[in-house]
Amino acid sequence: EDEAVSALMARVDNELRIKQIRLKDLFKQLDTTGDGILSTQELRFGLNMLCDVSWEKECERRRLKRLANHERWRVKEEVRDRTKAWLRHGSGLPTEFMRERDFF
């Protein structure tokens, strides 16, 4: 998550530079209540306006990334299990290999 926060901050910094907005001015614009404190809602809305990054989009992106990582892990585990089963069964393997397969 630290990487995600760093990436988000880099993106915000980049957008501020491109749009030539000072951080102080952005803060004033986002602080709609004028209390000098950004609420979560104000920050989310502001980030979405600034660089099209919303909390919902970020959560969905993370969810999809986790699913993709899980799917890659699952496929690797299936290949590993099939390989171990094939090695245990031993059909088609050379005889000298079959004698040395105690470690499976």
Side-chain angles (χ1 to χ4, degrees), residues 16 21-33 38 42 45-46 49-50:
L16 290 174
I21 300 172
R22 294 184 308 174
L23 190 56
K24 178 180 173 179
D25 297 333
L26 176 66
F27 182 86
K28 285 181 184 177
Q29 187 177 6
L30 299 183
D31 185 19
T32 55
T33 58
L38 288 181
E42 288 171 329
F45 179 77
M49 293 291 292
L50 180 66

Side-chain angles (χ1 to χ4, degrees), residues 66-86:
R66 276 195 309 272
L67 286 174
N69 287 340
H70 178 72
E71 181 62 21
R72 281 192 295 272
W73 173 82
R74 191 185 60 73
V75 167
K76 285 180 184 178
E77 287 295 305
E78 285 177 359
V79 168
R80 183 186 59 89
D81 291 344
R82 283 195 309 266
T83 303
K84 284 175 82 174
W86 178 75

Side-chain angles (χ1 to χ4, degrees), residues 37-80:
I37 299 172
L38 288 181
S39 68
T40 306
Q41 185 179 5
E42 288 171 329
L43 184 60
R44 284 182 186 168
F45 179 77
L47 289 177
N48 194 27
M49 293 291 292
L50 180 66
C51 52
D52 194 31
V53 176
S54 69
W55 177 252
E56 292 78 15
K57 287 180 185 178
E58 185 63 21
C59 288
E60 180 64 11
R61 186 191 66 75
R62 288 180 188 178
R63 186 185 72 78
L64 292 173
K65 187 176 179 180
R66 276 195 309 272
L67 286 174
N69 287 340
H70 178 72
E71 181 62 21
R72 281 192 295 272
W73 173 82
R74 191 185 60 73
V75 167
K76 285 180 184 178
E77 287 295 305
E78 285 177 359
V79 168
R80 183 186 59 89

